[in-house]
Amino acid sequence: MTRSISRRAFLKHAAGGLAAAQIAAPWSAPAWARPVDGIVPVEVNARPLTSFDLRDASHVRFGSFQFRSGLVLTSPFRKFGGLSSLHLDAAGENFVTASDKGVWFTGRLVYDGDALKGLADVRSAPMLGRDGQPLAAKGWFDTESLTFDGSVAYVGLERVNRIVRFDLDKGGLLARAEDVTAPPEVAKLPYNRGLEALVFIGRGHRLAGTLLAISERSLDAGGDIAAFLIGGPSPGIFHIRRSNDFDISDATLLPAGDLLLLERKFSLTKGIGIQVRSIPVSKIAPGALVDGPVIFEADLGSEIDNFEGIASHVSRSGETIITLISDDNFFVIQRTLLVQFSLLGQ
């Protein structure tokens, strides 16, 4: 994780071959994702990753993660890319994601047994503001974070440090944004270091009804990362201890209740890499400083790129599956990667 590497070498690595074959399959879409005016079909091509370790294809275990499969995704649709978030349904099939430029994408993951095979029936639409105009048209983009409470999607806008909600049962992907009241400190987060992860905590948890909003790298005097509990039984501010100079890029809540933090690092002196930490939700409270172990890490010896989205689900066999997606920044020599791992006993 600490070997020094230049940005040029990183981008050269990220440029891997992009030959692909389109995958098509029937899909029974949620009502809010079915085609209507303003929602367009998107062709997405997929090339499988034969291994995660570039040096040793037989190496499949990385900490508490075991590699299952992965895809390199490309599309002729010019708005495809910049994917910084990921939501999967309970079966790990239907997905919702959003680009940095305020554009929805929905569809279905296609599997061949346990392995990812491609994406099917992908559709796209602009995120709309209260006035019915695209959010991006008013400069409300850098839509970096996404979480769901039922059919209600919460989206974090890093560019303007705001949170909005969309009730997809009322308008589908063309639902209009409604402002979410957040602590005043959210609006004061540093430029380009603002809200990077949102997690809604549902029923059955001590913090049920709480929206966790986590900054990328808004540091207090002690160098710890600011995060917020919005709504729920105990609203307030807490902090996450910064780990190994990594910044937070997304988070997901496991069925057992732990919070997984997806983190990344780009440094000419300390290297480039990603890691995932496990944080007990039971430790989160107003005023708390929380930390947890690193359970997964990878560097440029593996198939990594700018991973900014993480999701979890439980497979039919009872395994907890972790899915990561990368943001290519709409840069031709970066890639949109979709990779899946089994979470092993820690």
Side-chain angles (χ1 to χ4, degrees):
M1 291 290 293
T2 59
R3 65 184 175 125
S4 178
I5 189 164
S6 70
R7 180 170 176 82
R8 178 175 297 178
F10 170 58
L11 295 175
K12 179 179 179 182
H13 164 81
L18 297 177
Q22 184 182 5
I23 303 299
W27 180 41
S28 178
W32 47 261
R34 292 174 188 158
V36 297
D37 290 344
I39 301 177
V40 298
V42 177
E43 174 187 343
V44 178
N45 303 312
R47 175 176 65 82
L49 296 175
T50 57
S51 66
F52 188 66
D53 191 325
L54 295 169
R55 300 156 293 197
D56 180 3
S58 67
H59 179 206
V60 295
R61 177 151 186 181
F62 304 83
S64 296
F65 283 15
Q66 182 165 301
F67 179 66
R68 291 166 65 92
S69 63
L71 301 171
V72 182
L73 303 177
T74 58
S75 175
F77 184 62
R78 65 181 181 83
K79 294 182 180 180
F80 183 80
L83 305 180
S84 298
S85 57
L86 181 64
H87 171 78
L88 295 177
D89 67 7
E93 295 180 356
N94 297 329
F95 71 85
V96 181
T97 183
S99 82
D100 292 343
K101 298 182 184 290
V103 177
W104 294 113
F105 291 94
T106 68
R108 180 170 63 91
L109 303 185
V110 179
Y111 294 87
D112 181 4
D114 290 336
L116 288 166
K117 187 177 181 181
L119 273 58
D121 295 284
V122 180
R123 299 184 176 96
S124 179
M127 290 183 177
L128 300 182
R130 181 181 292 273
D131 59 0
Q133 298 302 307
L135 285 178
K138 58 190 298 183
W140 286 25
F141 51 95
D142 275 2
T143 40
E144 297 283 342
S145 48
L146 170 69
T147 191
F148 272 76
D149 172 21
S151 66
V152 175
Y154 292 90
V155 173
L157 307 167
E158 187 182 28
R159 180 63 60 96
V160 291
N161 288 323
R162 302 177 75 110
I163 301 171
V164 294
R165 66 191 295 276
F166 301 85
D167 189 342
L168 301 184
D169 272 348
K170 299 177 181 178
L173 294 184
L174 301 181
R176 299 186 180 189
E178 301 174 0
D179 286 331
V180 174
T181 301
E185 291 83 358
V186 169
K188 300 175 184 177
L189 291 172
Y191 177 77
N192 207 33
R193 299 180 187 177
L195 296 180
E196 195 77 15
L198 291 176
V199 175
F200 183 82
I201 300 181
R203 290 178 293 180
H205 295 274
R206 176 179 60 86
L207 295 174
T210 301
L211 182 65
L212 297 182
I214 304 171
S215 71
E216 177 181 9
R217 184 163 44 104
S218 177
L219 306 180
D220 66 4
D224 300 312
I225 298 171
F228 306 87
L229 299 112
I230 300 173
S234 305
I237 301 173
F238 70 102
H239 287 82
I240 300 169
R241 189 175 299 282
R242 196 174 185 210
S243 169
N244 303 322
D245 293 324
F246 279 75
D247 297 331
I248 294 172
S249 60
D250 203 9
T252 187
L253 186 65
L254 295 178
D258 284 350
L259 184 73
L260 294 189
L261 295 177
L262 174 63
E263 302 178 309
R264 63 188 171 178
K265 174 172 64 177
F266 176 83
S267 170
L268 294 178
T269 58
K270 298 182 179 180
I272 297 166
I274 62 168
Q275 68 177 29
V276 174
R277 269 193 293 167
S278 178
I279 306 290
V281 171
S282 61
K283 302 294 185 182
I284 296 176
L289 173 61
V290 300
D291 195 2
V294 174
I295 63 171
F296 165 78
E297 56 185 337
D299 61 15
L300 287 179
S302 299
E303 291 277 14
I304 70 169
D305 209 289
N306 181 33
F307 283 112
E308 290 202 9
I310 185 171
S312 60
H313 74 278
V314 177
S315 71
R316 293 179 181 178
S317 63
E319 290 184 283
T320 297
I321 309 301
I322 306 300
T323 306
L324 306 180
I325 196 166
S326 69
D327 173 1
D328 67 355
N329 291 308
F330 298 97
F331 195 22
V332 68
I333 56 175
Q334 288 187 260
R335 300 175 296 170
T336 300
L337 301 181
L338 185 73
V339 294
Q340 285 191 335
F341 302 85
S342 299
L343 178 62
L344 306 177
Q346 300 174 33

